[in-house]
Amino acid sequence: MRFRRDWKNDHGASSGWSGEEGHAVYGSVGSFGYGSCPEKDGGWLAMSGVAGSRGIDLETVATERIRDVEWIFDDNAGTRPTVEYAAPVWFEIADRPAVRISARITDIPQVSGCEPDAARFDIVATPGYATAQTMVLMVQVNEGAYDVDVADDIIATLRPC
């Protein structure tokens, strides 16, 4: 693992985005570089979190959540970033199906001076256990701020609790 001590995890924290097109909130937040941009409330260079979904079709859930990047990284005036989506990758977590969809976001509109030039956003959807039909993991990494392969390391640690 390449995790460093500067990656902070707070299982009681929640964070996310909201806009005219919706909201994306994740709990059990892990972050790197929180507070790195004084122009933005908090701000981070990389973040991970989990959420639940009532949807049971894993690929549909993952596709819907990954498409959030189109408005998460816009400028609220209609300027959209360029997004390249990777094909879904199926794998297993404790003998249960999981799907991962990744996106690389470029041409991110600069609103506050805190936006990265490019970012990677990963979504994993797998059947939930206790409180949701589907568990969703999100990892967002600003390119150049942290090793974008940290998403692979985080996803490799997934297991039922």
Side-chain angles (χ1 to χ4, degrees), residues 123-145:
I123 293 289
V124 173
T126 192
Y129 280 91
T131 60
Q133 290 176 304
T134 301
M135 190 274 304
V136 178
L137 169 75
M138 174 278 306
V139 181
Q140 184 254 317
V141 180
N142 295 350
E143 287 188 11

Side-chain angles (χ1 to χ4, degrees), residues 89-158:
V89 175
W90 287 90
F91 62 104
E92 289 187 353
I93 299 170
D95 297 324
R96 297 181 71 167
V99 63
R100 175 183 183 177
I101 302 179
S102 301
R104 182 166 186 264
I105 304 98
T106 57
D107 302 321
I108 297 170
Q110 300 298 303
V111 177
S112 69
C114 297
E115 290 74 21
D117 293 328
R120 179 171 156 185
F121 204 93
D122 290 88
I123 293 289
V124 173
T126 192
Y129 280 91
T131 60
Q133 290 176 304
T134 301
M135 190 274 304
V136 178
L137 169 75
M138 174 278 306
V139 181
Q140 184 254 317
V141 180
N142 295 350
E143 287 188 11
Y146 202 89
D147 181 1
V148 293
D149 292 332
V150 72
D152 298 331
D153 293 340
I154 291 170
I155 292 166
T157 67
L158 291 176

Side-chain angles (χ1 to χ4, degrees), residues 47-132:
M47 183 178 87
S48 64
V50 296
S53 173
R54 290 187 214 156
I56 57 172
D57 180 77
L58 300 179
E59 190 168 344
T60 299
V61 170
T63 299
E64 288 173 354
R65 295 310 288 260
I66 198 71
R67 298 267 180 213
D68 289 345
V69 300
E70 295 172 12
W71 61 265
I72 287 172
F73 291 95
D74 75 2
D75 65 359
N76 294 323
T79 306
R80 299 277 182 152
T82 301
V83 182
E84 297 172 44
Y85 296 99
V89 175
W90 287 90
F91 62 104
E92 289 187 353
I93 299 170
D95 297 324
R96 297 181 71 167
V99 63
R100 175 183 183 177
I101 302 179
S102 301
R104 182 166 186 264
I105 304 98
T106 57
D107 302 321
I108 297 170
Q110 300 298 303
V111 177
S112 69
C114 297
E115 290 74 21
D117 293 328
R120 179 171 156 185
F121 204 93
D122 290 88
I123 293 289
V124 173
T126 192
Y129 280 91
T131 60

